């Protein structure tokens, strides 16, 4: 069973927030929060209700009086909480991040179990067809036992586990090909991986390098950045006895504060789908965006309200999107002020747009890469589309495993820690954001000496960017601006090749040994599965 289950009746739990925040238990999700109902009753009594309103939210410049005194918190503030809080309010991204990563009750530290198909490698060539292959996977799932009452063990698999060791070897071949072309023998092979799960991908990569490229393996440094303490210990136990070149750091990548001056490869495989997003909606009268804040009252009930955008990260994302020419998800008809006026006078027309989930934490990752890994090469893979999402633009799947079945929900208001929340990634827009970020000069606060050791590829000459036009009158469109102080292998300031987007099959056809995963009837699950996954490299 993968992370995407069949559509089943909604069976979601609901949680809530409040001031001088405390911890509370969840109650079943039943209906609209009582505080929201009271708000509508007061408005109706005061004659302030409108024809044009949203049935699911209240929309004022100030929060409802019941919530105005709640403590405003972030996911970092809640890390010391041993149970979900009450009487608090927070941005949607902080709620998602707390639900998934809180060290005491978050989904990944306490609930998630990554499927491991045992030490026996599946013999793909002996399988008749994909049906027999899936039966084989199902038998290995059965080793985890059956769920009884309540939410079951949260088991899901990744391509790394399903196609081991061939998937990991394909990633290794991609990295070593680039390394041999550009850096060997002058630089070490430095790899960073975030969210390494069970450590299987790292193990398969390092085993492959040790067996096939021993001269490269001797110069390999493999660094894992892992937010889950439980998984960090599992990774150490699995990897260190066999590969002393591994270093595991128990830390969120968003708290990373060390600068890596050497060329390195940065892996984010099946990770960014669980990065927290913010929710915004647009006022159809002015097209102004509003940020969503979630509230949890003393009884544990959720609410949500909208305010003008004041969060710096949301503002940065929206500004970057405008700069790149990525339009907001608004009907083109409403770009005209005349048509907006007509629309807003229609009976029962919503005054706010459909919720949009924006990848603000993904922007944080790009900033971290730009600042702390100036000579990195990013290899990222994840879902490009998802079924069974909750309502909204770029909305997530919210699901849990219940009595051996994956149950998708219709709302984000679910008990913290018991539900997986994961988003699709728009890879073409991500590529544009990423390349734009890398093209920007570092701010004065970010400037530190680059190479800390001598390298044949390092230059002591003046900044390359000042002379990049000496050899040609233009910078090739498929190249980034050069990194100051660092020459290319040819000595010319041509910069790194820009990233491209590949489908799952395109990438693996290039780097994988596809003959090892071919079934008897000619099907190849390594290429045929995960059609909603893409790569950025």
């Amino acid at each position: 069973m993968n992370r995407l289950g069949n559509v089943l009746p909604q069976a979601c739990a609901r949680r809530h927030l409040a001031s001088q925040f405390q911890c509370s238990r969840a109650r079943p999700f039943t209906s609209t929060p009582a505080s929201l109902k009271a708000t509508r009753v007061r408005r109706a009594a005061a004659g302030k209700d409108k024809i044009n309103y949203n049935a699911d939210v209240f929309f004022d410049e100030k929060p409802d009086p019941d919530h105005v005194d709640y403590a405003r918190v972030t996911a970092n503030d809640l890390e010391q909480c041993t149970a979900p809080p009450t009487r608090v309010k927070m941005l949607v991204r902080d709620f998602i991040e707390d639900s998934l990563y809180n060290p005491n009750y978050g989904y990944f530290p306490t609930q998630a179990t990554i499927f491991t198909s045992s030490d026996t490698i599946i013999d793909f060539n002996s399988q008749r067809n994909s049906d027999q292959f899936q039966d084989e996977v199902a038998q290995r799932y059965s080793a985890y036992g059956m769920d009884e009452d309540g939410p079951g063990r949260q088991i899901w698999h990744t391509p790394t586990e399903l196609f081991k060791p061939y998937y990991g070897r394909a990633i290794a071949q991609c990295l070593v090909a680039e390394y041999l072309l550009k850096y060997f023998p002058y630089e070490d092979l430095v790899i960073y991986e975030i969210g390494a799960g069970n450590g299987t991908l790292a193990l398969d990569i390092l085993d492959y390098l040790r067996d096939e490229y021993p001269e490269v393996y001797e110069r390999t440094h493999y660094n894992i950045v892992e937010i889950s303490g439980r998984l960090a210990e599992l990774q150490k136990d699995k990897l260190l006895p066999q590969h002393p070149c591994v270093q595991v750091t128990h830390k969120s990548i968003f708290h990373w504060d060390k600068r890596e001056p050497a060329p390195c490869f940065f892996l984010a495989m099946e990770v960014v789908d669980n990065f927290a997003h913010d929710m915004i909606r647009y006022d159809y009268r002015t097209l102004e965006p509003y940020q969503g804040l979630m509230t949890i009252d003393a009884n544990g009930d959720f609410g949500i309200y909208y305010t003008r955008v004041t969060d710096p990260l949301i503002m940065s994302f929206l500004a970057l999107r405008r700069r790149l020419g990525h339009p907001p998800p608004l009907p083109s008809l409403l770009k005209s002020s005349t048509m907006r006026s007509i629309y807003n006078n229609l009976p029962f027309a919503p005054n706010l747009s459909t919720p949009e989930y924006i990848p603000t934490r993904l922007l944080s990752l790009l900033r971290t890469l730009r600042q702390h890994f100036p000579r990195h090469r990013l290899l990222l893979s994840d879902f490009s589309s998802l079924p069974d999402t909750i309502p909204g633009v770029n909305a997530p799947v919210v699901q849990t495993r219940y009595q051996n079945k994956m149950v998708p929900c219709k709302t984000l208001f679910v008990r913290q820690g018991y539900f997986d929340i994961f988003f699709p990634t728009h890879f073409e827009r991500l590529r544009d954001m990423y390349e734009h970020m890398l093209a920007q000069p570092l701010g004065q606060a970010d400037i530190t000496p680059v190479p800390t050791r001598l390298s044949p590829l390092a230059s002591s000459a003046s900044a390359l960017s000042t002379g990049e036009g000496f050899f040609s009158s233009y910078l090739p469109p498929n190249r980034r601006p050069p990194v100051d102080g660092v020459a290319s292998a040819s000595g010319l300031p041509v910069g790194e090749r820009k990233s491209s987007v590949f489908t799952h099959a395109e990438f693996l056809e290039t780097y994988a040994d596809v003959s090892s995963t071919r079934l008897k009837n000619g099907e190849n699950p390594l290429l045929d599965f995960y059609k909603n996954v893409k790569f950025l490299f």
Side-chain angles (χ1 to χ4, degrees):
M1 179 181 300
N2 62 17
R3 298 176 70 183
L4 303 176
N6 296 325
V7 178
L8 295 173
Q10 180 174 337
C12 304
R14 180 151 169 162
R15 290 300 289 170
H16 347 271
L17 281 118
S19 130
Q20 311 306 337
F21 65 90
Q22 309 159 3
C23 299
S24 70
R25 297 185 178 180
R27 298 187 307 179
F29 176 29
T30 54
S31 59
T32 306
S35 57
L36 180 50
K37 292 180 179 178
T39 301
R40 293 177 184 159
V41 170
R42 286 195 298 271
R43 286 185 181 173
K48 295 181 180 179
D49 208 1
K50 302 176 181 179
I51 293 177
N52 297 345
Y53 70 96
N54 291 277
D56 296 324
V57 299
F58 50 89
F59 177 42
D60 290 308
E61 294 185 4
K62 295 182 179 180
D64 184 84
D66 293 340
H67 304 101
V68 71
D69 294 326
Y70 290 178
R72 175 77 176 268
V73 297
T74 66
N76 292 339
D77 298 329
L78 299 176
E79 285 182 355
Q80 304 305 316
C81 225
T82 58
T86 58
R87 296 188 58 78
V88 293
K89 56 189 174 186
M90 66 187 87
L91 289 167
V92 170
R93 76 165 179 265
D94 289 302
F95 173 78
I96 295 173
E97 198 160 294
D98 180 61
S99 298
L100 295 178
Y101 300 111
N102 185 284
N104 299 305
Y105 53 81
Y107 177 81
F108 284 102
T110 64
Q111 299 291 333
T113 299
I114 300 174
F115 168 74
T116 301
S117 62
S118 81
D119 295 331
T120 305
I121 297 173
I122 296 177
D123 184 359
F124 290 87
N125 298 150
S126 68
Q127 304 289 312
R128 293 190 308 274
N129 51 38
S130 59
D131 290 338
Q132 185 181 8
F133 167 68
Q134 294 191 63
D135 289 341
E136 173 71 21
V137 174
Q139 289 179 10
R140 300 188 180 211
Y141 257 106
S142 65
Y144 286 92
M146 300 292 288
D147 297 334
E148 296 180 358
D149 296 327
R153 183 179 296 182
Q154 303 300 304
I155 305 173
W156 43 268
H157 66 239
T158 64
T160 299
E161 298 288 351
L162 201 59
F163 304 115
K164 73 177 185 181
Y166 307 109
Y167 184 85
R169 290 177 183 177
I171 303 301
Q173 184 58 47
C174 171
L175 301 181
V176 76
E178 192 78 3
Y179 169 73
L180 291 174
L181 178 66
K182 296 173 58 178
Y183 300 118
F184 182 80
Y186 304 114
E187 302 278 0
D188 291 343
L189 174 57
V190 181
I191 302 171
Y192 283 83
E193 183 184 1
I194 58 172
N198 287 343
T200 301
L201 179 63
L203 183 64
D204 291 342
I205 289 174
L206 291 170
D207 284 350
Y208 182 77
L209 294 178
R210 180 194 59 201
D211 298 340
E212 302 295 331
Y213 297 91
E215 70 282 5
V216 173
Y217 178 77
E218 291 176 357
R219 308 195 59 175
T220 297
H221 306 273
Y222 204 104
N223 305 278
I224 293 175
V225 183
E226 178 58 60
I227 193 173
S228 168
R230 177 176 62 88
L231 291 177
E233 292 303 315
L234 189 155
Q235 293 156 10
K236 292 177 184 178
D237 294 341
K238 188 172 190 174
L239 297 169
L240 292 181
Q242 302 183 54
H243 300 289
C245 61
V246 173
Q247 179 176 347
V248 179
T249 302
H250 175 207
K251 177 182 281 191
S252 168
I253 189 60
F254 303 122
H255 298 163
W256 192 260
D257 56 0
K258 297 179 181 178
R259 187 173 174 85
E260 175 54 76
C264 61
F265 294 92
F266 196 95
L267 305 184
M269 313 300 290
E270 301 92 42
V271 172
V272 301
D273 59 319
N274 287 120
F275 276 12
H277 286 48
D278 273 293
M279 182 199 294
I280 62 170
R281 300 179 77 171
Y282 286 85
D283 182 357
Y284 277 147
R285 296 165 296 184
T286 64
L287 301 188
E288 181 182 4
Y290 282 73
Q291 63 188 21
L293 288 98
M294 293 187 63
T295 64
I296 304 178
D297 66 18
N299 297 318
D301 285 327
F302 283 119
I304 188 165
Y305 67 95
Y306 295 85
T307 66
R308 286 188 167 87
V309 174
T310 58
D311 177 69
L313 188 56
I314 297 178
M315 295 174 71
S316 296
F317 178 85
L318 295 177
L320 176 58
R321 185 161 72 175
R322 288 193 297 269
R323 196 174 302 122
L324 294 174
H326 298 163
L330 292 171
S332 57
L333 191 65
L334 297 184
K335 294 180 180 179
S336 163
S337 59
T338 302
M339 295 305 299
R340 287 202 305 275
S341 177
I342 295 172
Y343 171 83
N344 287 314
N345 284 293
L346 295 175
F348 304 107
N351 59 350
L352 286 180
S353 67
T354 300
E356 180 193 9
Y357 295 86
I358 58 174
T360 40
R361 271 308 192 191
L362 188 54
L363 177 59
S364 295
L365 175 67
L366 301 186
R367 287 178 167 179
T368 297
L369 293 175
R370 179 68 183 96
Q371 180 174 349
H372 296 298
F373 302 89
R375 301 175 68 191
H376 77 277
R377 183 70 189 274
L378 176 63
L379 175 57
L380 183 150
S381 177
D382 229 307
F383 296 111
S384 57
S385 62
L386 290 170
D388 302 332
T389 60
I390 66 174
V393 177
N394 196 43
V397 173
V398 182
Q399 68 180 21
T400 191
R401 190 167 183 256
Y402 184 78
Q403 296 184 353
N404 305 297
K405 296 180 180 179
M406 296 305 295
V407 183
C409 299
K410 299 295 185 184
T411 177
L412 191 62
F413 299 133
V414 292
R415 175 169 177 166
Q416 298 94 315
Y418 283 90
F419 293 79
D420 193 6
I421 303 171
F422 56 107
F423 294 82
T425 297
H426 193 305
F427 271 76
E428 287 70 26
R429 290 193 174 190
L430 169 59
R431 177 195 57 205
D432 294 346
M433 290 171 52
Y434 175 59
E435 293 299 336
H436 179 84
M437 292 288 292
L438 293 185
Q440 304 309 304
L442 287 173
Q444 294 298 318
D446 300 329
I447 295 177
T448 54
V450 179
T452 57
R453 56 186 172 84
L454 293 177
S455 165
L457 299 185
S459 171
S460 59
S462 59
L464 293 176
S465 58
T466 60
E468 63 185 66
F470 181 81
F471 295 97
S472 64
S473 59
Y474 70 97
L475 185 69
N478 66 338
R479 297 282 171 171
R480 301 171 188 149
V483 176
D484 283 351
V486 180
S488 69
S490 66
L492 303 180
V494 296
E496 294 283 341
R497 181 174 64 84
K498 289 184 178 181
S499 295
S500 299
V501 175
F502 305 92
T503 66
H504 184 82
E506 287 173 344
F507 183 88
L508 292 172
E509 282 176 334
T510 302
Y511 295 107
D513 176 14
V514 295
S515 64
S516 297
T517 57
R518 186 174 294 116
L519 309 183
K520 284 185 175 181
N521 68 344
E523 292 178 300
N524 197 320
L526 180 65
L527 304 179
D528 300 336
F529 287 24
Y530 293 98
K531 292 186 180 296
N532 61 333
V533 166
K534 290 185 178 180
F535 282 81
L536 178 72
F537 183 64

